[in-house]
Amino acid sequence: MKLATRLVAPVAALALAGLAACAPQTSDNSSSQEDEKTGTLRVWLFQEVSNEPKQKVVDKVVSAFEKAHDGAKVKVEYIPVETRAQRIKAAFNDPKSAPDLMEFGNTDTAGYVKDGGLADVTTDFNEWSESKDSDPTAKTSVTVDGKIYGAPFFVGVRALYYRTDIFEELGLEPPKTLDELTATAKQIRAAKPDLYGLVVGGAYTYGAMPFVWANGGEIAEGKGGSYASTIDSAAAQKGIEAYTSLFGDDNCPAAKCASMGGNDTVTAFAAGKAGMAIGGDFSHAAVEAGKVKGKYAVVPLPGVKSGSVAPAFAGGNNVGVLKSTTHRTLAVDLMKRLASKETQGELFDAMGFLPTYTDVRAEAAKEEPFIEPFVKTLSSGTKFVPASPAWAQIDASLVLPTMFQQVVSGKKDVAAASKDAAKQMNDAFSSAG
């Protein structure tokens, strides 16, 4: 494949946040004063489980770039996802070993900016004609305090997978509200006790957050160094209650489901163990390879009001120029070529990556019908994590999963667990400066 393996591993289920936590606090990453127009550009991209299709697309881009710039060469290195943190840490510490351009997870932007690793490309991005069609949330993922530090490379979101055969057998319709979703899940579990109604996970942050967002809650508010957690607000608590109510013998027993992450829930659905699951466009190939092939469909995850769509987390990756590059003009041009509409369309065909441009996504949906509910979810409005370098610490410390698991296990009620989570988040925001 392509889609499922691509995003699950490199983007860690679209929550790539560990990199920034590993970046150095002090680095030799001042801007280079050189801007050479010839020589070799070093590029780091993530290595795919099946890398050849991606490499073919990238090779085509590189060939066109080298023809356009006499005397310029490009060396692309596909770095293992598992060892990326150390590679990037070393690059920030030693500009001589650093690439000119690299791919990175979109939740890492703020941390990399704080560590001085990424170049400000605001003017270049805004003058680029194609940038006007960038998805607003994707653009947010490269923006820190109003400045732009890269170009969106691809995006991914989640929606509701459901078993068409079970729904037909039980006379069910796809739920149109979150309340209907809960009721439908419990109906399936009651009729078929060997199945989870809606398989959920206590460690599945981005499967849980749409319930919070749909109820009007937010993770935090503010910008830059002045974020404050709002996960303990009344609206957020209502969403937390809605999600955690799904853990029980009448749907997904806490003893089995509390420790599940996103991959676990998709695996359970693909194996035929659940009536419904919240999965990404990147989960499609895994589900197709499972026992439910030909017996499922996908719709947007419903919101609170009938016909509405619950906001989904907009995950994905970006490409950015390093501050230490000695080939800034060339690196910016290559960044634009890699993140262009043409390249993103070809990467969708080759790998299944969802384009970050609204018009290119619409064309992709016409080609591949399975993409349509995800495109609808994106167009309905998505959410992103706080653009703070503290997010890496918050994510790595499992603040939100711990909160959900405390409620599910009965150790704390929603009010106490969310207040504890808010305190931990605020401590992290304060320490991030």
Side-chain angles (χ1 to χ4, degrees), residues 40-45 58-66 69 73-76 100-102 128 151 153 319-321 327-340 343:
T40 301
L41 270 73
R42 298 179 64 205
V43 179
W44 287 357
L45 300 176
V58 172
D59 285 349
K60 180 180 174 184
V61 174
V62 168
S63 178
F65 174 85
E66 290 180 343
H69 298 282
K73 296 291 180 184
V74 178
K75 180 182 179 183
V76 180
D100 298 276
L101 186 71
M102 73 176 184
W128 181 25
F153 197 37
V319 286
V321 175
H327 298 87
R328 191 187 191 285
T329 299
L330 291 176
V332 167
D333 182 55
L334 185 55
M335 176 190 77
K336 291 178 181 178
R337 290 169 183 262
L338 283 170
S340 69
T343 303

XYZ file of all heavy atoms in Angstrom, residues 40-45 58-66 69 73-76 100-102 128 151 153 319-321 327-340 343:
356
model
N 25.011 20.924 -4.599
C 24.092 19.834 -4.256
C 23.176 20.196 -3.090
O 23.638 20.648 -2.046
C 24.884 18.566 -3.889
O 25.697 18.188 -5.004
C 23.951 17.418 -3.523
N 21.872 19.998 -3.304
C 20.877 20.168 -2.245
C 20.609 18.810 -1.609
O 20.403 17.822 -2.316
C 19.552 20.703 -2.806
C 19.373 22.212 -2.853
C 20.236 22.783 -3.969
C 17.916 22.572 -3.069
N 20.617 18.790 -0.290
C 20.296 17.553 0.435
C 18.851 17.612 0.906
O 18.414 18.608 1.481
C 21.236 17.362 1.624
C 22.696 17.220 1.230
C 23.569 17.050 2.465
N 23.248 15.806 3.166
C 23.464 15.599 4.465
N 23.983 16.552 5.214
N 23.157 14.447 5.011
N 18.136 16.530 0.654
C 16.719 16.463 1.013
C 16.463 15.203 1.834
O 16.900 14.117 1.465
C 15.830 16.441 -0.253
C 14.359 16.348 0.124
C 16.092 17.666 -1.116
N 15.754 15.367 2.950
C 15.337 14.218 3.752
C 13.827 14.065 3.644
O 13.071 14.988 3.964
C 15.682 14.409 5.226
C 17.140 14.284 5.551
C 18.156 13.975 4.702
C 17.748 14.483 6.837
N 19.359 13.961 5.361
C 19.142 14.260 6.679
C 17.257 14.813 8.090
C 20.031 14.371 7.743
C 18.135 14.925 9.154
C 19.512 14.698 8.984
N 13.408 12.910 3.190
C 11.987 12.566 3.161
C 11.784 11.284 3.970
O 12.721 10.500 4.139
C 11.504 12.352 1.720
C 11.650 13.543 0.765
C 11.213 13.151 -0.638
C 10.837 14.741 1.259
N 8.951 11.495 -6.695
C 9.987 12.443 -6.268
C 11.093 12.544 -7.316
O 11.580 13.641 -7.624
C 10.562 12.037 -4.901
C 11.764 12.899 -4.537
C 9.487 12.140 -3.827
N 11.487 11.420 -7.885
C 12.539 11.424 -8.924
C 12.138 12.292 -10.112
O 12.973 12.987 -10.708
C 12.829 9.994 -9.406
C 13.629 9.186 -8.393
O 14.129 9.778 -7.420
O 13.756 7.959 -8.580
N 10.862 12.258 -10.461
C 10.369 13.074 -11.578
C 10.493 14.564 -11.239
O 10.899 15.376 -12.077
C 8.902 12.720 -11.864
C 8.293 13.514 -13.002
C 6.843 13.110 -13.215
C 6.171 14.000 -14.267
N 4.731 13.671 -14.417
N 10.164 14.915 -10.003
C 10.277 16.305 -9.550
C 11.737 16.747 -9.574
O 12.066 17.842 -10.050
C 9.702 16.466 -8.126
C 9.952 17.875 -7.601
C 8.218 16.159 -8.114
N 12.605 15.894 -9.060
C 14.037 16.211 -9.003
C 14.612 16.405 -10.398
O 15.391 17.334 -10.651
C 14.803 15.101 -8.251
C 16.314 15.255 -8.447
C 14.454 15.133 -6.764
N 14.223 15.542 -11.324
C 14.723 15.650 -12.701
C 14.339 16.986 -13.326
O 15.174 17.653 -13.956
C 14.162 14.494 -13.542
O 14.594 14.593 -14.872
N 13.097 17.398 -13.150
C 12.645 18.681 -13.698
C 13.364 19.847 -13.024
O 13.729 20.837 -13.683
C 11.136 18.816 -13.509
N 13.587 19.722 -11.724
C 14.290 20.764 -10.979
C 15.718 20.927 -11.490
O 16.192 22.053 -11.712
C 14.301 20.412 -9.486
C 15.131 21.338 -8.638
C 14.617 22.517 -8.147
C 16.455 21.012 -8.332
C 15.388 23.367 -7.357
C 17.238 21.854 -7.553
C 16.696 23.037 -7.057
N 16.422 19.817 -11.665
C 17.817 19.878 -12.122
C 17.931 20.436 -13.534
O 18.891 21.155 -13.851
C 18.450 18.490 -12.027
C 18.670 18.033 -10.591
C 19.292 16.647 -10.480
O 19.271 15.902 -11.489
O 19.802 16.310 -9.406
N 17.643 24.248 -13.260
C 18.726 24.939 -12.549
C 20.068 24.325 -12.936
O 20.501 23.336 -12.347
C 18.517 24.855 -11.032
C 17.255 25.505 -10.553
N 17.128 26.867 -10.410
C 16.056 24.979 -10.201
C 15.908 27.159 -9.981
N 15.239 26.027 -9.845
N 22.289 20.083 -8.241
C 21.986 18.662 -8.109
C 21.198 18.438 -6.823
O 21.285 19.234 -5.883
C 23.264 17.823 -8.078
C 24.078 17.876 -9.372
C 23.340 17.163 -10.493
C 24.137 17.192 -11.795
N 23.362 16.588 -12.910
N 20.454 17.357 -6.775
C 19.664 17.035 -5.591
C 19.992 15.623 -5.128
O 19.998 14.685 -5.919
C 18.148 17.140 -5.876
C 17.342 16.742 -4.637
C 17.779 18.541 -6.331
N 20.268 15.495 -3.846
C 20.485 14.180 -3.241
C 19.368 13.946 -2.229
O 19.284 14.617 -1.210
C 21.850 14.115 -2.542
C 22.134 12.773 -1.892
C 23.466 12.768 -1.172
C 23.719 11.428 -0.499
N 24.997 11.429 0.268
N 18.496 12.980 -2.539
C 17.370 12.674 -1.657
C 17.719 11.458 -0.804
O 18.148 10.430 -1.317
C 16.088 12.381 -2.459
C 14.927 12.056 -1.509
C 15.724 13.563 -3.345
N 19.012 20.542 3.302
C 18.506 21.867 2.939
C 16.986 21.911 3.061
O 16.401 22.974 3.279
C 18.906 22.207 1.502
C 20.410 22.262 1.329
O 20.994 23.318 1.620
O 21.003 21.239 0.923
N 16.371 20.752 2.918
C 14.917 20.645 2.875
C 14.527 19.324 3.521
O 15.218 18.320 3.340
C 14.461 20.672 1.406
C 12.975 20.708 1.067
C 12.389 22.074 1.410
C 12.775 20.424 -0.427
N 13.420 19.313 4.289
C 13.014 18.043 4.893
C 11.500 17.947 5.053
O 10.786 18.953 5.087
C 13.683 17.837 6.242
C 13.169 18.699 7.373
S 13.966 18.273 8.952
C 13.047 19.366 10.060
N 3.487 32.623 -3.933
C 3.326 31.408 -4.735
C 1.859 31.288 -5.145
O 0.974 31.224 -4.301
C 3.768 30.228 -3.882
C 3.717 28.870 -4.494
C 3.775 28.540 -5.807
C 3.620 27.624 -3.780
N 3.726 27.184 -5.971
C 3.618 26.603 -4.745
C 3.529 27.301 -2.431
C 3.544 25.249 -4.398
C 3.456 25.963 -2.072
C 3.461 24.950 -3.039
N 5.599 24.206 3.618
C 4.430 24.039 2.762
C 3.738 22.732 3.117
O 4.407 21.718 3.320
C 4.841 24.033 1.290
N 2.189 19.204 2.768
C 2.572 18.135 1.839
C 1.415 17.170 1.588
O 1.165 16.755 0.473
C 3.778 17.400 2.422
C 4.545 16.545 1.456
C 4.730 16.923 0.136
C 5.116 15.356 1.876
C 5.461 16.133 -0.751
C 5.852 14.551 1.011
C 6.029 14.947 -0.301
N 6.579 19.975 4.236
C 7.978 20.050 3.819
C 8.458 21.467 4.081
O 7.722 22.435 3.863
C 8.194 19.688 2.331
C 8.060 18.195 2.112
C 7.236 20.439 1.421
N 9.689 21.581 4.603
C 10.191 22.902 4.944
C 11.678 23.040 4.681
O 12.413 22.056 4.630
N 12.099 24.284 4.524
C 13.504 24.630 4.297
C 14.179 24.847 5.644
O 13.612 25.496 6.529
C 13.603 25.913 3.445
C 15.056 26.357 3.299
C 12.959 25.690 2.072
N 21.618 27.168 0.341
C 20.996 27.203 -0.994
C 19.531 27.635 -0.861
O 18.635 26.988 -1.389
C 21.054 25.826 -1.662
C 22.420 25.288 -1.908
N 23.114 24.555 -0.972
C 23.219 25.382 -2.997
C 24.290 24.203 -1.478
N 24.384 24.700 -2.697
N 19.283 28.734 -0.183
C 17.909 29.069 0.169
C 16.983 29.199 -1.037
O 15.890 28.617 -1.055
C 17.866 30.377 0.974
C 16.489 30.634 1.585
C 16.394 32.010 2.245
N 15.178 32.140 3.031
C 13.966 32.311 2.526
N 13.803 32.376 1.205
N 12.908 32.404 3.310
N 17.392 29.941 -2.047
C 16.528 30.152 -3.216
C 16.193 28.834 -3.892
O 15.030 28.568 -4.233
C 17.196 31.100 -4.218
O 17.423 32.367 -3.583
C 16.322 31.312 -5.446
N 17.203 27.993 -4.074
C 16.983 26.690 -4.700
C 16.093 25.813 -3.813
O 15.198 25.116 -4.312
C 18.317 25.981 -4.954
C 19.225 26.592 -6.019
C 20.556 25.824 -6.090
C 18.545 26.561 -7.400
N 16.339 25.835 -2.520
C 15.571 24.993 -1.593
C 14.098 25.394 -1.585
O 13.209 24.527 -1.550
C 16.161 25.076 -0.195
N 13.828 26.695 -1.626
C 12.438 27.156 -1.661
C 11.762 26.702 -2.952
O 10.605 26.257 -2.944
C 12.363 28.695 -1.518
C 10.964 29.203 -1.863
C 12.741 29.117 -0.101
N 12.469 26.787 -4.062
C 11.894 26.341 -5.336
C 11.587 24.845 -5.300
O 10.518 24.410 -5.739
C 12.845 26.653 -6.496
C 12.246 26.238 -7.838
O 11.121 26.694 -8.141
O 12.878 25.442 -8.561
N 12.497 24.062 -4.756
C 12.265 22.622 -4.677
C 11.114 22.307 -3.722
O 10.315 21.397 -3.974
C 13.545 21.900 -4.236
C 13.486 20.367 -4.223
C 13.051 19.820 -5.576
C 14.843 19.787 -3.829
N 11.008 23.058 -2.629
C 9.885 22.892 -1.704
C 8.557 23.085 -2.441
O 7.627 22.275 -2.302
C 9.996 23.903 -0.559
C 8.824 23.880 0.417
S 8.837 25.280 1.587
C 8.238 26.608 0.523
N 8.470 24.156 -3.241
C 7.244 24.432 -3.979
C 6.945 23.328 -4.990
O 5.782 22.942 -5.169
C 7.360 25.779 -4.701
C 7.383 26.979 -3.778
C 7.546 28.257 -4.583
C 7.606 29.494 -3.695
N 7.808 30.731 -4.494
N 7.970 22.810 -5.638
C 7.762 21.744 -6.617
C 7.278 20.459 -5.948
O 6.387 19.775 -6.461
C 9.059 21.474 -7.393
C 9.443 22.598 -8.359
C 10.856 22.405 -8.899
N 11.277 23.491 -9.768
C 11.229 23.460 -11.106
N 10.767 22.376 -11.715
N 11.640 24.491 -11.806
N 7.849 20.129 -4.783
C 7.439 18.912 -4.076
C 6.015 19.044 -3.521
O 5.275 18.062 -3.456
C 8.404 18.613 -2.925
C 9.749 18.003 -3.308
C 10.692 17.996 -2.112
C 9.558 16.577 -3.845
N 5.648 20.262 -3.117
C 4.328 20.486 -2.520
C 3.322 21.033 -3.533
O 2.225 21.454 -3.143
C 4.452 21.456 -1.350
N 3.657 20.988 -4.810
C 2.788 21.569 -5.833
C 1.528 20.733 -6.052
O 1.435 19.575 -5.644
C 3.546 21.663 -7.158
O 3.772 20.359 -7.691
N 2.406 17.569 -8.130
C 3.067 16.517 -7.365
C 2.108 15.875 -6.369
O 2.085 14.648 -6.218
C 4.290 17.072 -6.621
O 5.181 17.671 -7.558
C 5.025 15.964 -5.884
